[in-house]
Amino acid sequence: MAGYRIYLVDGARRDLSADRCRHAGSRYIFERESESGGWQTVHEVAVVDVAQLQDGGVPVAEHDVTA
């Protein structure tokens, strides 16, 4: 299972265990693969609330929070 770290614009940090992250419109959706082969949402966060998103310690999205 992949590990994601989210740094929020308010300074908070969240570590998530998820198999994938999807960018769906104005949200990041973190999902885990179920035993039946489907996907189960484990966390959602608004894109505007994210300062940086890391996948296994590697930044995959950074946002200018000063704009």
Side-chain angles (χ1 to χ4, degrees):
M1 187 170 298
Y4 291 91
R5 178 169 286 163
I6 306 170
Y7 293 94
L8 301 173
V9 295
D10 67 4
R13 183 184 90 189
R14 290 207 176 105
D15 293 316
L16 301 173
S17 293
D19 292 312
R20 72 178 184 183
C21 173
R22 294 188 298 119
H23 182 232
S26 63
R27 307 198 61 77
Y28 287 118
I29 300 172
F30 298 87
E31 298 173 317
R32 172 179 334 169
E33 190 170 15
S34 69
E35 291 181 19
S36 64
W39 293 95
Q40 176 183 24
T41 299
V42 293
H43 190 72
E44 288 187 38
V45 64
V47 170
V48 296
D49 292 336
V50 176
Q52 185 181 71
L53 171 62
Q54 294 181 351
D55 178 358
V58 178
V60 292
E62 290 192 51
H63 303 285
D64 182 3
V65 295
T66 61

